[in-house]
Amino acid sequence: MRRAVAVLAGLLAVACSTPPAGGGTPAPAAGQAQAAVGLAAAQQDMFDNRYTAADGDYARLLAAAPSVADVHAGFALFLNYRNDFGDALRQATRGVELDRRSGAAAAVLCRVQDWSGDINHAVVSGRSAVRLAAENPLAHLFYAEALADSGDYAGSKDQIGNANALIARHPTRFLSAEVQREVANLDGDLGQRSAQIAALQAALRIQPHWLYRTAEVVDAELGANQKAAAHQALDSAVAETPDDIETLQMLGNDAVFVGDASAAVSLWARALRLAPGDATLLDMNGLLAVAAKNDVDAAVREFERALTVDPQDLHAAAFLVALGRYVQKEPEAGYREIKSALSADVGARSLRRPPPPQPDAAGTVAAAQALARVNHARTAAGLAAVHLDAHLTASADSHAFYWLFNNLAPSVSDLGIHLETPGLPGYSGQFPWARAAAYGYADPRIGEDITHRGGAVAAVDDWVNSVFHRFALLRPDLTAVGYSQAQVGSLLIEDMEFGFAVAAPAVPVAYPAGGARDVPAIFVDNELPDPVPAGKPRTTGYPVTMTFSQAATVSVASFALTGPDGKPVVAYVLSPSPSTENSAALLPASPLQANAAYTARIAATVDGHSFTRTWTFTTAS
């Protein structure tokens, strides 16, 4: 294990004997050597699952050697493994800025960009990394991941082969395990779930004590709906988990995602005992008091304590308000509890305290952002704007928190996320239309989109850039929406409710519209229902859709996309049906070319009349 860390430190600590391209002063050789020793210690702590200690190691390194690119790159990689992508990107970018000749820094930037979802830039950084550091196995491995995620499967396989050849000269546990991880990533992108899990299990066998390897196995087994296996893998890891706050949080999140109530409660309680004044840990223990134990009083106590620790904890405040409204059925209870928490220990606080968090005001801002983004997409498609409805927003808010209240219940997994079960905390109606009616929206023509993106704009973009979730947004009969979002810790949800008018004849709606520019070339499949056939690659081209009036009877004769070379694009086609909300969809089987013009053509019979349309759009560069 120590040898693996020493080699990794060497890969991230390339001596700089000439000034970095683009400016900057090289760090003294002594500083580089000292940084390499510190990096080795930090990485050893990470591999030993002492993430809190590693955090301290990197903080000291940054203070002692702020101009050493490898320190920023090493910290970025650590942050990436912690899923702290924002800070990881800042550190990785700084590493490249400090030394533009460092292939190791470019490689880490590639990995961070890829895990942040910025695949196009990850490919660029990966290409730079292998050019600058052709002998660095991680450069090839991280580039391989970006290539696979961009749909270049042959290129990814080649880079894995290049890395394997380099590692054979100086094998380490970490590097050998990373090869298997990238094989797994390629298998996953190709839709080969069993092979993906097998490769991740191989990585775990090579590096069995680093719990991150177990976490990736658990995630893959969950993705393949192998929940029993995921439970078993998680339970074996829990027994090995040290008393390290960040490691406990990592596995605690996995336990919640798996739905393992016992493990989740144990892990988060252990973390809280180590840091009883941590607001995030109090929040998660409060959520589990409801989701695992149905103990509302205990939840209130934990969230009140969180607000005492952090008076600006909006998530704690919002959860208390939601508990009052939807579980306790006392609409003002939450605000009373917020006031009570913030009035505790007044003597220890400044007299100039900031105002208390206002969950309803924050929700209003988020809903306005969501509405603006929806209307942006509808305007681009030539559709009329829709309005925000308070009743639908209340329904969305209730259901978002229902999901949090019952997050460990099997009934909310997969497509069950759209349903509610009588008797569970926060229940307001089994189906979206029943919930809308419960909050005063009389029309039963209701739809619903849900995602987990961390904000209103990202959520709407996720729906627009998908297949099944796009349909409702671009229906001509859509008149009103409601929106809410909720979050505790790493659990987050965005919910949009749709209100439709009586269907009437309407001009079919194409998306992307004719003349559209900067259209994404790639769609990374993350949808349920799944538009990609089982076993097929998960990275495809951007979806092209034509949405017809719900009142129309439609039969599609052909739907095709032609590339810039004039050749037809291989694609999966969905015909109009109730499941597609009377939309036709064309999903290219492979990513589209960048900065290229594509021509779509559809021929159909609509209400007995011939309908054809041909239009062109251009992908982003």
Side-chain angles (χ1 to χ4, degrees):
M1 182 71 76
R2 287 192 178 276
R3 185 180 176 199
V5 173
V7 173
L8 177 61
L11 291 169
L12 291 175
V14 181
C16 179
S17 58
T18 58
T25 302
Q32 288 279 2
Q34 185 179 13
V37 173
L39 281 169
Q43 290 157 356
Q44 183 65 64
D45 280 333
M46 180 178 75
F47 291 146
D48 288 344
N49 307 303
R50 297 194 298 263
Y51 279 38
T52 305
D55 218 0
D57 294 336
Y58 282 113
R60 288 186 290 274
L61 276 168
L62 288 168
S67 62
V68 176
D70 301 323
V71 170
H72 292 273
F75 189 34
L77 193 59
F78 169 67
L79 291 169
N80 217 46
Y81 284 123
R82 280 174 35 186
N83 295 328
D84 187 351
F85 302 128
D87 285 341
L89 184 59
R90 283 185 283 274
Q91 291 294 331
T93 301
R94 182 58 179 153
V96 171
E97 289 172 347
L98 286 168
D99 187 354
R100 297 191 182 278
R101 296 181 184 179
S102 171
V108 171
L109 180 59
C110 168
R111 164 64 70 87
V112 172
Q113 288 170 328
D114 183 86
W115 286 20
S116 300
D118 188 359
I119 297 171
N120 290 337
H121 284 107
V123 170
V124 173
S125 297
R127 188 182 303 123
S128 175
V130 297
R131 176 178 56 82
L132 291 167
E135 297 298 306
N136 184 333
L138 286 183
H140 293 280
L141 288 173
F142 294 172
Y143 186 32
E145 183 165 11
L147 288 173
D149 293 346
S150 73
D152 184 354
Y153 307 120
S156 176
K157 188 175 181 180
D158 287 344
Q159 291 300 322
I160 293 172
N162 292 339
N164 244 333
L166 292 169
I167 293 168
R169 304 177 197 169
H170 304 287
T172 72
R173 288 184 184 274
F174 172 73
L175 292 175
S176 298
E178 278 294 286
V179 169
Q180 293 301 320
R181 189 207 173 278
E182 294 310 333
V183 169
N185 182 76
L186 177 58
D187 287 334
D189 284 346
L190 288 169
Q192 299 170 2
R193 295 284 196 183
S194 296
Q196 177 191 25
I197 292 170
L200 289 173
Q201 289 171 335
L204 176 59
R205 287 193 296 272
I206 294 168
Q207 203 175 9
H209 300 298
W210 187 24
L211 292 174
Y212 189 85
R213 298 293 181 206
T214 300
E216 290 208 308
V217 171
V218 170
D219 291 344
E221 288 171 338
L222 277 179
N225 204 30
Q226 297 180 12
K227 295 183 179 179
H231 273 272
Q232 185 177 0
L234 181 64
D235 288 344
S236 66
V238 169
E240 298 182 27
T241 307
D243 280 337
D244 177 88
I245 293 172
E246 294 189 21
T247 304
L248 290 166
Q249 286 180 286
M250 179 184 75
L251 285 181
N253 283 328
D254 275 339
V256 171
F257 296 146
V258 170
D260 190 332
S262 176
V265 169
S266 172
L267 289 161
W268 285 103
R270 283 175 61 189
L272 185 59
R273 285 195 293 272
L274 294 173
D278 187 301
T280 298
L281 300 180
L282 288 163
D283 285 351
M284 283 302 298
N285 277 273
L287 177 135
L288 290 170
V290 178
K293 306 173 186 176
N294 197 18
D295 189 340
V296 173
D297 291 339
V300 169
R301 288 194 298 271
E302 299 288 35
F303 282 110
E304 284 185 336
R305 286 175 60 198
L307 281 167
T308 302
V309 171
D310 178 7
Q312 296 302 297
D313 187 346
L314 179 62
H315 298 156
F319 201 95
L320 286 171
V321 170
L323 274 177
R325 284 179 180 156
Y326 309 130
V327 179
Q328 296 168 300
K329 304 300 182 182
E330 297 181 48
E332 299 304 317
Y335 280 102
R336 287 199 306 270
E337 289 153 359
I338 294 169
K339 183 177 180 180
S340 173
L342 296 181
S343 64
D345 196 21
V346 173
R349 299 185 184 281
S350 166
L351 295 177
R352 298 180 62 184
R353 288 177 295 168
Q358 297 291 331
D360 289 334
T364 298
V365 171
Q369 292 172 337
L371 176 67
R373 202 63 180 169
V374 168
N375 283 331
H376 174 78
R378 288 179 65 84
T379 298
L383 288 164
V386 298
H387 70 274
L388 195 66
D389 183 89
H391 304 291
L392 291 177
T393 293
S395 177
D397 192 62
S398 169
H399 188 59
F401 279 99
Y402 171 89
W403 181 77
L404 285 181
F405 298 153
N406 300 286
N407 191 265
L408 295 173
S411 59
V412 303
S413 63
D414 300 329
L415 289 174
I417 196 171
H418 293 287
L419 305 177
E420 293 187 7
T421 301
L424 290 184
Y427 173 82
S428 62
Q430 183 176 5
F431 301 106
W433 45 90
R435 298 192 290 270
Y439 287 97
Y441 193 84
D443 197 321
R445 288 178 285 266
I446 297 293
E448 179 177 80
D449 272 356
I450 290 175
T451 192
H452 313 275
R453 290 293 161 189
V457 172
V460 175
D461 286 351
D462 189 47
W463 295 323
V464 171
N465 294 331
S466 68
V467 180
F468 287 98
H469 291 73
R470 176 191 294 173
F471 298 143
L473 289 159
L474 298 182
R475 278 174 51 170
D477 56 339
L478 179 64
T479 60
V481 298
Y483 175 83
S484 187
Q485 59 192 41
Q487 180 174 356
V488 172
S490 61
L491 288 173
L492 45 88
I493 182 172
E494 296 88 33
D495 182 311
M496 180 164 280
E497 303 295 318
F498 302 106
F500 302 104
V502 176
V507 176
V509 180
Y511 200 89
R517 303 189 65 82
D518 294 324
V519 174
I522 293 174
F523 168 64
V524 179
D525 179 31
N526 65 345
E527 272 199 283
L528 284 176
D530 193 341
V532 178
K536 297 297 184 181
R538 316 316 292 166
T539 301
T540 69
Y542 193 72
V544 182
T545 57
M546 180 69 74
T547 298
F548 298 90
S549 165
Q550 301 300 294
T553 300
V554 183
S555 176
V556 172
S558 63
F559 194 3
L561 186 67
T562 302
D565 57 2
K567 296 180 180 179
V569 173
V570 177
Y572 313 117
V573 176
L574 296 174
S575 296
S577 70
S579 67
T580 67
E581 302 186 51
N582 220 24
S583 298
L586 181 150
L587 183 63
S590 300
L592 303 179
Q593 295 180 36
N595 196 28
Y598 284 83
T599 300
R601 185 180 188 278
I602 189 169
T605 301
V606 181
D607 291 332
H609 301 286
S610 176
F611 169 81
T612 61
R613 186 182 297 181
T614 302
W615 71 103
T616 300
F617 60 87
T618 304
T619 55
S621 58

Coordinates of all heavy atoms in Angstrom, one line a residue, residues 222-287:
L222 N -26.6 -1.0 -7.4 CA -27.9 -0.3 -7.3 C -28.3 0.1 -8.7 O -29.5 -0.1 -9.0 CB -27.7 1.0 -6.5 CG -27.8 0.9 -5.0 CD1 -27.6 2.2 -4.3 CD2 -29.2 0.3 -4.6
G223 N -27.4 0.5 -9.6 CA -27.8 0.9 -10.9 C -28.3 -0.3 -11.7 O -29.1 -0.1 -12.6
A224 N -27.9 -1.5 -11.4 CA -28.3 -2.7 -12.0 C -29.5 -3.3 -11.3 O -29.9 -4.5 -11.6 CB -27.2 -3.7 -12.1
N225 N -30.0 -2.6 -10.3 CA -31.2 -3.1 -9.5 C -30.8 -4.3 -8.7 O -31.7 -5.1 -8.4 CB -32.4 -3.3 -10.4 CG -33.7 -3.2 -9.6 OD1 -33.8 -2.5 -8.6 ND2 -34.7 -3.9 -10.0
Q226 N -29.6 -4.5 -8.4 CA -29.1 -5.7 -7.6 C -29.1 -5.2 -6.1 O -28.0 -5.1 -5.5 CB -27.8 -6.2 -8.0 CG -27.8 -6.8 -9.5 CD -26.5 -7.3 -9.9 OE1 -25.6 -7.5 -9.1 NE2 -26.4 -7.6 -11.2
K227 N -30.2 -4.9 -5.5 CA -30.2 -4.3 -4.2 C -29.8 -5.2 -3.1 O -29.1 -4.7 -2.2 CB -31.7 -3.8 -3.9 CG -32.1 -2.7 -4.9 CD -33.5 -2.1 -4.6 CE -33.8 -1.0 -5.6 NZ -35.2 -0.4 -5.3
A228 N -30.0 -6.5 -3.2 CA -29.6 -7.4 -2.2 C -28.0 -7.4 -2.1 O -27.4 -7.4 -1.1 CB -30.1 -8.8 -2.4
A229 N -27.4 -7.5 -3.3 CA -26.0 -7.5 -3.4 C -25.4 -6.2 -2.9 O -24.4 -6.2 -2.2 CB -25.5 -7.7 -4.8
A230 N -26.1 -5.1 -3.2 CA -25.6 -3.8 -2.7 C -25.7 -3.7 -1.2 O -24.7 -3.2 -0.5 CB -26.4 -2.6 -3.3
H231 N -26.7 -4.2 -0.6 CA -26.9 -4.3 0.9 C -25.7 -5.1 1.5 O -25.1 -4.7 2.5 CB -28.2 -4.9 1.3 CG -29.3 -4.0 1.3 ND1 -29.6 -3.3 2.5 CD2 -30.2 -3.6 0.4 CE1 -30.7 -2.5 2.3 NE2 -31.1 -2.7 1.0
Q232 N -25.4 -6.2 0.9 CA -24.4 -7.1 1.4 C -23.0 -6.4 1.3 O -22.2 -6.5 2.3 CB -24.3 -8.4 0.6 CG -23.4 -9.4 1.2 CD -23.4 -10.7 0.4 OE1 -24.2 -10.9 -0.5 NE2 -22.6 -11.7 0.8
A233 N -22.7 -5.8 0.2 CA -21.4 -5.1 0.1 C -21.3 -3.9 1.1 O -20.2 -3.7 1.7 CB -21.3 -4.5 -1.4
L234 N -22.4 -3.2 1.3 CA -22.4 -2.1 2.2 C -22.2 -2.6 3.6 O -21.4 -2.0 4.4 CB -23.7 -1.3 2.1 CG -23.8 -0.1 3.0 CD1 -22.7 1.0 2.6 CD2 -25.2 0.5 2.9
D235 N -22.9 -3.6 4.0 CA -22.8 -4.2 5.4 C -21.4 -4.6 5.7 O -20.9 -4.4 6.8 CB -23.8 -5.3 5.6 CG -25.3 -4.8 5.6 OD1 -25.5 -3.6 5.8 OD2 -26.2 -5.7 5.4
S236 N -20.7 -5.2 4.7 CA -19.3 -5.6 5.0 C -18.4 -4.4 5.1 O -17.5 -4.5 5.9 CB -18.8 -6.5 3.8 OG -18.7 -5.8 2.6
A237 N -18.7 -3.3 4.5 CA -17.9 -2.1 4.6 C -18.1 -1.4 5.9 O -17.2 -0.9 6.5 CB -18.2 -1.2 3.4
V238 N -19.4 -1.5 6.4 CA -19.7 -0.8 7.6 C -18.9 -1.3 8.8 O -18.4 -0.6 9.7 CB -21.2 -0.9 7.9 CG1 -21.5 -0.4 9.4 CG2 -22.0 -0.1 6.9
A239 N -18.7 -2.6 8.8 CA -17.9 -3.2 9.9 C -16.4 -2.8 9.9 O -15.8 -2.8 10.9 CB -17.9 -4.8 9.7
E240 N -15.9 -2.3 8.7 CA -14.5 -1.9 8.6 C -14.4 -0.3 8.8 O -13.3 0.2 8.8 CB -13.9 -2.3 7.3 CG -13.9 -3.8 7.1 CD -13.2 -4.1 5.7 OE1 -12.4 -3.3 5.3 OE2 -13.5 -5.2 5.2
T241 N -15.5 0.4 8.9 CA -15.4 1.8 8.8 C -14.8 2.4 10.1 O -15.3 2.1 11.2 CB -16.8 2.4 8.6 OG1 -17.4 1.8 7.5 CG2 -16.7 3.9 8.5
P242 N -13.7 3.2 10.0 CA -13.1 3.8 11.2 C -14.0 4.9 11.7 O -14.9 5.4 11.0 CB -11.8 4.2 10.7 CG -12.0 4.6 9.2 CD -13.0 3.6 8.7
D243 N -13.6 5.4 12.9 CA -14.3 6.6 13.4 C -13.7 7.8 12.7 O -13.0 8.6 13.3 CB -14.1 6.7 14.9 CG -15.1 5.7 15.6 OD1 -16.1 5.4 15.0 OD2 -14.8 5.3 16.8
D244 N -14.1 8.0 11.5 CA -13.6 9.2 10.7 C -14.9 9.8 10.1 O -15.7 9.2 9.4 CB -12.7 8.7 9.6 CG -12.3 9.9 8.7 OD1 -11.3 10.5 9.0 OD2 -13.0 10.1 7.7
I245 N -15.1 11.1 10.4 CA -16.3 11.7 10.1 C -16.7 11.7 8.6 O -17.8 11.3 8.2 CB -16.3 13.2 10.6 CG1 -16.3 13.3 12.1 CG2 -17.5 14.0 10.0 CD1 -16.1 14.7 12.6
E246 N -15.7 12.0 7.8 CA -16.0 12.1 6.3 C -16.2 10.7 5.7 O -17.0 10.5 4.9 CB -14.8 12.8 5.6 CG -14.7 14.3 6.0 CD -13.8 15.0 5.1 OE1 -13.5 14.6 4.0 OE2 -13.3 16.1 5.6
T247 N -15.5 9.7 6.2 CA -15.7 8.3 5.8 C -17.1 7.8 6.2 O -17.8 7.2 5.4 CB -14.6 7.4 6.3 OG1 -13.3 7.8 6.0 CG2 -14.8 6.0 5.8
L248 N -17.5 8.1 7.4 CA -18.8 7.8 7.9 C -19.9 8.5 7.1 O -20.9 7.9 6.7 CB -19.0 8.1 9.4 CG -18.2 7.3 10.3 CD1 -18.1 7.9 11.7 CD2 -18.7 5.9 10.4
Q249 N -19.7 9.7 6.7 CA -20.6 10.4 5.8 C -20.7 9.8 4.5 O -21.8 9.6 3.9 CB -20.2 11.9 5.7 CG -20.5 12.7 6.9 CD -20.0 14.2 6.7 OE1 -18.8 14.5 6.7 NE2 -21.0 15.1 6.5
M250 N -19.6 9.4 3.9 CA -19.6 8.8 2.6 C -20.4 7.5 2.6 O -21.3 7.3 1.8 CB -18.2 8.5 2.1 CG -18.1 7.8 0.7 SD -16.4 7.3 0.3 CE -16.1 5.9 1.3
L251 N -20.1 6.6 3.5 CA -20.9 5.4 3.6 C -22.3 5.6 4.1 O -23.2 4.8 3.7 CB -20.1 4.4 4.5 CG -18.9 3.7 3.9 CD1 -18.3 2.8 4.9 CD2 -19.2 3.0 2.6
G252 N -22.5 6.6 4.9 CA -23.8 6.9 5.4 C -24.7 7.3 4.2 O -25.9 6.9 4.1
N253 N -24.2 8.1 3.3 CA -24.9 8.5 2.1 C -25.3 7.2 1.3 O -26.4 7.1 0.8 CB -24.1 9.4 1.2 CG -24.2 10.8 1.8 OD1 -25.2 11.3 2.3 ND2 -23.1 11.6 1.6
D254 N -24.3 6.3 1.1 CA -24.5 5.1 0.4 C -25.6 4.3 1.1 O -26.5 3.7 0.4 CB -23.3 4.2 0.3 CG -22.4 4.6 -0.9 OD1 -22.9 5.3 -1.8 OD2 -21.2 4.4 -0.9
A255 N -25.6 4.2 2.4 CA -26.7 3.5 3.1 C -28.0 4.0 2.9 O -29.0 3.3 2.7 CB -26.4 3.5 4.6
V256 N -28.1 5.4 2.8 CA -29.4 6.0 2.5 C -29.8 5.6 1.1 O -31.0 5.3 0.8 CB -29.3 7.5 2.7 CG1 -30.6 8.2 2.2 CG2 -29.1 7.8 4.2
F257 N -28.9 5.7 0.1 CA -29.2 5.4 -1.3 C -29.7 4.0 -1.5 O -30.6 3.7 -2.3 CB -28.1 5.8 -2.2 CG -27.7 7.2 -2.2 CD1 -26.4 7.6 -2.3 CD2 -28.7 8.2 -2.1 CE1 -26.0 9.0 -2.3 CE2 -28.3 9.6 -2.1 CZ -27.0 9.9 -2.2
V258 N -29.0 3.1 -0.7 CA -29.4 1.7 -0.8 C -30.7 1.4 -0.2 O -31.4 0.5 -0.5 CB -28.3 0.8 -0.2 CG1 -28.7 -0.6 0.0 CG2 -27.0 0.9 -1.0
G259 N -31.1 2.3 0.8 CA -32.3 2.0 1.6 C -32.1 1.2 2.8 O -33.0 0.5 3.3
D260 N -30.8 1.1 3.3 CA -30.5 0.3 4.4 C -30.6 1.2 5.7 O -29.7 1.9 6.1 CB -29.0 -0.2 4.3 CG -28.7 -1.2 5.4 OD1 -29.3 -1.2 6.4 OD2 -27.8 -2.0 5.1
A261 N -31.8 1.1 6.3 CA -32.1 2.0 7.4 C -31.2 1.8 8.6 O -30.7 2.8 9.2 CB -33.6 1.9 7.8
S262 N -31.0 0.5 8.9 CA -30.2 0.2 10.1 C -28.8 0.8 9.9 O -28.2 1.4 10.8 CB -30.1 -1.3 10.3 OG -29.3 -1.6 11.4
A263 N -28.1 0.5 8.8 CA -26.8 1.0 8.5 C -26.8 2.5 8.5 O -25.8 3.2 9.0 CB -26.2 0.4 7.2
A264 N -27.8 3.1 7.9 CA -27.8 4.6 7.8 C -27.9 5.2 9.1 O -27.1 6.2 9.5 CB -29.0 5.0 6.9
V265 N -28.8 4.8 10.0 CA -28.9 5.3 11.3 C -27.6 5.1 12.1 O -27.1 6.1 12.8 CB -30.1 4.6 12.1 CG1 -30.1 5.0 13.5 CG2 -31.4 5.1 11.4
S266 N -27.0 4.0 12.0 CA -25.8 3.7 12.8 C -24.6 4.6 12.3 O -23.9 5.2 13.1 CB -25.4 2.2 12.6 OG -24.1 2.0 13.2
L267 N -24.4 4.7 11.0 CA -23.3 5.5 10.5 C -23.5 7.0 10.8 O -22.5 7.6 11.2 CB -23.2 5.3 9.0 CG -22.7 3.9 8.6 CD1 -23.1 3.6 7.1 CD2 -21.2 3.8 8.8
W268 N -24.6 7.5 10.6 CA -24.8 9.0 10.8 C -24.8 9.3 12.3 O -24.3 10.4 12.7 CB -26.1 9.5 10.2 CG -26.0 9.6 8.7 CD1 -26.5 8.7 7.7 CD2 -25.3 10.6 8.0 NE1 -26.1 9.1 6.5 CE2 -25.4 10.3 6.6 CE3 -24.6 11.7 8.3 CZ2 -24.8 11.1 5.6 CZ3 -24.0 12.5 7.4 CH2 -24.1 12.2 6.0
A269 N -25.3 8.4 13.1 CA -25.2 8.6 14.6 C -23.7 8.6 15.1 O -23.3 9.4 15.9 CB -26.0 7.5 15.3
R270 N -22.9 7.6 14.5 CA -21.5 7.6 14.8 C -20.8 8.9 14.4 O -20.0 9.5 15.2 CB -20.8 6.4 14.1 CG -21.1 5.1 14.8 CD -20.5 3.9 14.0 NE -19.0 4.1 13.8 CZ -18.3 3.3 13.0 NH1 -18.9 2.4 12.3 NH2 -17.0 3.5 13.0
A271 N -21.2 9.4 13.3 CA -20.5 10.7 12.8 C -20.9 11.8 13.7 O -20.1 12.6 14.1 CB -21.0 11.0 11.4
L272 N -22.2 11.8 14.2 CA -22.6 12.9 15.0 C -22.0 12.9 16.4 O -21.7 13.9 17.0 CB -24.1 12.9 15.2 CG -24.8 14.0 16.0 CD1 -24.5 15.4 15.3 CD2 -26.3 13.8 16.1
R273 N -21.7 11.7 16.9 CA -21.0 11.5 18.2 C -19.6 12.1 18.1 O -19.1 12.7 19.1 CB -20.9 10.1 18.6 CG -22.3 9.5 19.2 CD -22.1 8.2 19.9 NE -21.7 7.1 19.0 CZ -22.5 6.3 18.4 NH1 -23.8 6.5 18.5 NH2 -22.0 5.4 17.6
L274 N -19.0 12.0 16.9 CA -17.6 12.6 16.7 C -17.7 14.1 16.6 O -16.7 14.8 17.0 CB -17.0 12.0 15.5 CG -16.7 10.5 15.6 CD1 -16.2 10.0 14.2 CD2 -15.6 10.2 16.6
A275 N -18.8 14.6 16.1 CA -18.9 16.1 15.9 C -20.3 16.5 16.2 O -21.1 16.8 15.3 CB -18.5 16.5 14.4
P276 N -20.6 16.6 17.5 CA -22.0 16.9 17.9 C -22.5 18.3 17.5 O -23.7 18.6 17.6 CB -22.0 16.7 19.4 CG -20.6 16.8 19.8 CD -19.8 16.3 18.7
G277 N -21.6 19.2 17.2 CA -21.9 20.5 16.8 C -21.9 20.8 15.3 O -21.9 21.9 14.9
D278 N -22.0 19.7 14.5 CA -22.0 19.9 13.0 C -23.4 19.9 12.5 O -24.2 19.0 12.7 CB -21.2 18.7 12.4 CG -21.0 18.8 10.9 OD1 -22.0 18.9 10.2 OD2 -19.9 18.8 10.5
A279 N -23.8 21.0 11.9 CA -25.2 21.2 11.5 C -25.6 20.2 10.4 O -26.7 19.7 10.4 CB -25.4 22.6 10.9
T280 N -24.7 19.9 9.5 CA -25.0 18.9 8.4 C -25.3 17.5 9.0 O -26.3 16.8 8.6 CB -23.9 18.8 7.4 OG1 -23.7 20.0 6.8 CG2 -24.2 17.7 6.3
L281 N -24.5 17.1 10.0 CA -24.8 15.8 10.7 C -26.1 15.8 11.4 O -26.8 14.9 11.5 CB -23.6 15.5 11.6 CG -22.2 15.4 10.9 CD1 -21.2 15.0 12.0 CD2 -22.3 14.3 9.8
L282 N -26.4 17.0 12.1 CA -27.7 17.1 12.8 C -28.8 17.0 11.8 O -29.8 16.4 12.1 CB -27.7 18.4 13.5 CG -26.8 18.5 14.8 CD1 -26.6 19.9 15.2 CD2 -27.4 17.7 15.9
D283 N -28.7 17.7 10.6 CA -29.7 17.6 9.6 C -30.0 16.2 9.2 O -31.1 15.7 9.1 CB -29.3 18.4 8.4 CG -29.4 19.9 8.6 OD1 -29.9 20.3 9.6 OD2 -28.9 20.7 7.7
M284 N -28.9 15.4 8.9 CA -29.1 14.0 8.4 C -29.7 13.2 9.5 O -30.6 12.3 9.2 CB -27.8 13.5 7.9 CG -27.4 14.0 6.6 SD -28.6 13.6 5.2 CE -28.7 11.8 5.2
N285 N -29.3 13.3 10.7 CA -29.9 12.6 11.8 C -31.4 13.0 12.0 O -32.2 12.1 12.4 CB -29.1 12.8 13.1 CG -27.9 11.9 13.2 OD1 -28.0 10.7 13.6 ND2 -26.7 12.4 12.7
G286 N -31.7 14.2 11.8 CA -33.1 14.6 11.9 C -33.9 14.0 10.8 O -35.0 13.5 11.0
L287 N -33.4 14.0 9.6 CA -34.1 13.3 8.5 C -34.3 11.8 8.8 O -35.4 11.3 8.6 CB -33.3 13.5 7.2 CG -34.0 12.8 6.0 CD1 -34.0 13.6 4.7 CD2 -33.2 11.5 5.6

